[in-house]
Amino acid sequence: MSVHDILHPPAWVRPRGYANGIAATGRMVFTAGVIGWNAEEVIEAEDFVGQFRQVIVNTLAILAEAGAGPEHIVRMTWYITDRDEYLAAGREIGAVYREMLGRNFPAMAVVIVAGLIERRAKLEIETTAVVPKQ
């Protein structure tokens, strides 16, 4: 049973790695902007993929506090500091994504920013999940 419905106009080309829209009903869960530091707020990875992996670890830990998992994610907004680094790491990002989040492809936006508050952070991701009512 699906926890949400993917919205895809029939004549549109299918998106790769995201959904154009999601319709969901249930308890909404929101994360703050999550960066790739550990529980002690130390950034260990200097590379984009390493920080992305830690962002997902952190996001899943936050969602778990509300009884949510990767299958409940309906929207992600990524803020990245380097377009070229992001594009160059695409294959590796995809592998980490599939490993940790599976084949759930929420509505997504990627925004290039001049910088983040934590200077060493290469990306920050806000996530929305919807947990079905029991």
Side-chain angles (χ1 to χ4, degrees), residues 76-80 86 108-112:
M76 297 177 93
T77 302
W78 300 34
Y79 302 94
I80 64 170
Y86 167 76
M108 270 193 235
V110 179
V111 181
I112 302 164

Side-chain angles (χ1 to χ4, degrees), residues 26 42 44 48 67 72 76 78 84 92 114 124 126 132-134:
V42 174
E44 296 173 346
F48 192 95
H72 300 114
M76 297 177 93
W78 300 34
D84 294 335
E92 293 172 279
E124 184 169 328
E126 297 174 330
K133 294 183 180 183
Q134 306 269 346

Side-chain angles (χ1 to χ4, degrees), residues 12-101:
W12 288 20
V13 173
R14 288 207 116 18
R16 291 181 40 161
Y18 67 95
N20 289 307
I22 300 285
T25 303
R27 181 174 177 226
M28 296 182 72
V29 181
F30 304 90
T31 72
V34 177
I35 64 171
W37 58 20
N38 63 24
E40 289 78 38
E41 297 187 350
V42 174
I43 293 178
E44 296 173 346
E46 294 297 328
D47 65 304
F48 192 95
V49 175
Q51 287 192 21
F52 173 66
R53 178 179 289 280
Q54 188 63 52
V55 167
I56 299 305
V57 166
N58 296 345
T59 297
L60 293 175
I62 295 165
L63 295 180
E65 290 294 307
E71 70 277 14
H72 300 114
I73 296 172
V74 297
R75 179 159 183 74
M76 297 177 93
T77 302
W78 300 34
Y79 302 94
I80 64 170
T81 60
D82 188 322
R83 179 184 186 273
D84 294 335
E85 187 175 12
Y86 167 76
L87 292 173
R91 190 174 302 270
E92 293 172 279
I93 292 167
V96 170
Y97 186 99
R98 287 185 301 278
E99 171 194 338
M100 301 185 78
L101 300 176

